[in-house]
């Protein structure tokens, strides 16, 4: 699939000085607190790894192609490797805020990932905003259970919301409390909503952020309950919750027709 120059170009305004924001978008602990677990060698030409799950094929190796702290970093697959690149820039302002811009390039024409990645990046960049507003400089432990169901995204969201006994479209500011079982307790405040999506500022099982989604995966639907929890209590809860939420989601899986 040839690279057609198609890109995802998104930006968000975040709270924080340029050095704090830079650490959040360019270092392993920073990225791990709002996206997926990362390791980053903090230099041009350094290695980087993104972990999307426990299986070896879900560990994505890459390279730090450009390292210009505290304003610009580019990640790609390595010298001569075709595929996606991710350029992050940080523009500071005088009021302790910054603009963070993502330029995600390397897509082929009719690339099936493109539309799904736009929606995914919007969600993660919203989580970046929450991280910097409420937990800047802190390290999160994530629980990132996701299942793939042979249904439409709308059907996936109906199954998820129905199983948890929640509104499919709550209001911002609503209190959110669910408990599928002992290790799947979630409590907090709804901070954003959208079609088949709820974003949360959590206080149970620990302080952190989280979101529930049902997304088009191109022929199947990806249903996720992703949590980013802080402190020792959060680390323990994330470890328990990852296993328990995966098991609960698996128990709700519809049968392929």
């Amino acid at each position: 699939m040839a690279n057609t120059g198609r890109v995802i170009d998104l930006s968000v305004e975040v709270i924080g000085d340029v050095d704090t924001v830079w650490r959040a978008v360019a270092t392993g602990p920073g990225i791990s607190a709002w996206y997926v677990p990362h390791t980053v060698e903090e230099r041009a030409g350094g290695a980087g790894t993104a972990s999307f799950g426990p299986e070896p094929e879900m560990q994505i190796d890459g390279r730090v192609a450009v390292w210009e702290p505290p304003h610009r970093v580019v990640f790609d697959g390595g010298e001569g490797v075709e595929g996606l690149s991710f350029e992050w820039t940080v523009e500071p302002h005088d009021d302790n805020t910054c603009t963070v811009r993502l330029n995600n390039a390397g897509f082929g024409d009719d690339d099936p990932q493109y539309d799904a990645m736009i929606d995914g990046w919007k969600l993660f960049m919203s989580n970046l905003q929450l991280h910097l507003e409420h937990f800047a400089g802190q390290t999160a432990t994530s629980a990132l259970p996701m299942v793939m169901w042979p249904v439409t995204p709308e059907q996936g969201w109906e199954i998820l919301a129905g199983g948890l006994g929640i509104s499919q479209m709550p209001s911002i500011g609503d209190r959110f409390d669910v408990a599928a079982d002992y290790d799947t307790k979630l409590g907090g405040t709804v901070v954003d909503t959208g079609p088949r999506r709820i974003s949360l500022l959590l206080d149970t099982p620990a302080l952190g952020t989280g979101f529930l989604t049902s997304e088009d995966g191109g022929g199947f639907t990806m249903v996720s309950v992703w949590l980013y929890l802080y402190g020792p209590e959060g680390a323990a809860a994330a470890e328990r919750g990852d296993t328990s939420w995966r098991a609960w989601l698996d128990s709700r899986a519809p049968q392929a027709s």
Side-chain angles (χ1 to χ4, degrees):
M1 185 180 295
N3 178 3
T4 61
R6 203 177 189 195
V7 301
I8 295 173
D9 189 358
L10 298 171
S11 64
V12 291
E13 302 298 311
V14 299
I15 295 172
D17 62 82
V18 65
D19 291 319
T20 299
V21 176
W22 166 259
R23 288 193 294 272
V25 301
T27 71
I31 299 169
S32 301
W34 57 271
Y35 183 28
V36 300
H38 269 65
T39 61
V40 176
E41 288 185 354
E42 299 177 16
R43 60 178 178 85
T49 302
S51 176
F52 289 86
E55 293 81 11
E57 60 270 21
M58 300 184 77
Q59 311 302 305
I60 309 300
D61 294 327
R63 173 186 69 155
V64 181
V66 176
W67 181 262
E68 299 175 352
H71 296 292
R72 179 171 176 256
V73 63
V74 180
F75 301 104
D76 66 11
E79 182 70 31
V81 177
E82 292 187 2
L84 299 179
S85 65
F86 308 85
E87 178 186 46
W88 295 91
T89 58
V90 180
E91 177 187 355
H93 307 299
D94 292 335
D95 58 350
N96 195 46
T97 66
C98 293
T99 299
V100 175
R101 180 175 295 276
L102 166 68
N103 184 283
N104 182 188
F107 293 95
D109 195 20
D110 299 323
D111 192 321
Q113 299 181 87
Y114 183 76
D115 290 334
M117 286 187 69
I118 292 175
D119 291 338
W121 276 126
K122 288 179 179 178
L123 186 62
F124 287 120
M125 292 175 79
S126 174
N127 201 33
L128 170 64
Q129 289 177 302
L130 289 174
H131 166 69
L132 286 166
E133 180 178 357
H134 298 281
F135 305 105
Q138 300 183 50
T139 301
T141 304
S142 56
L144 309 176
M146 181 189 73
V147 292
M148 294 180 288
W149 288 346
V151 297
T152 67
E154 291 76 17
Q155 290 169 330
W157 188 240
E158 183 177 354
I159 294 169
L160 178 61
L164 293 175
I166 61 173
S167 168
Q168 293 190 39
M169 184 64 78
S171 298
I172 293 174
D174 281 359
R175 177 68 194 179
F176 184 97
D177 287 290
V178 300
D181 58 38
Y182 181 78
D183 284 330
T184 55
K185 293 180 180 179
L186 282 185
T189 303
V190 176
V191 292
D192 196 14
T193 62
R196 308 182 309 279
R197 170 176 57 82
I198 299 172
S199 297
L200 301 163
L201 187 62
L202 296 171
D203 53 47
T204 303
L207 295 178
T209 65
F211 52 85
L212 289 68
T213 68
S214 179
E215 304 170 274
D216 186 358
F220 55 87
T221 288
M222 301 179 294
V223 178
S224 308
V225 180
W226 283 19
L227 313 176
Y228 301 81
L229 305 176
Y230 292 84
E233 180 182 356
E239 183 176 355
R240 296 192 306 267
D242 188 84
T243 300
S244 298
W245 277 112
R246 288 181 193 275
W248 185 85
L249 288 167
D250 284 340
S251 75
R252 296 284 167 169
Q255 298 300 309
S257 58

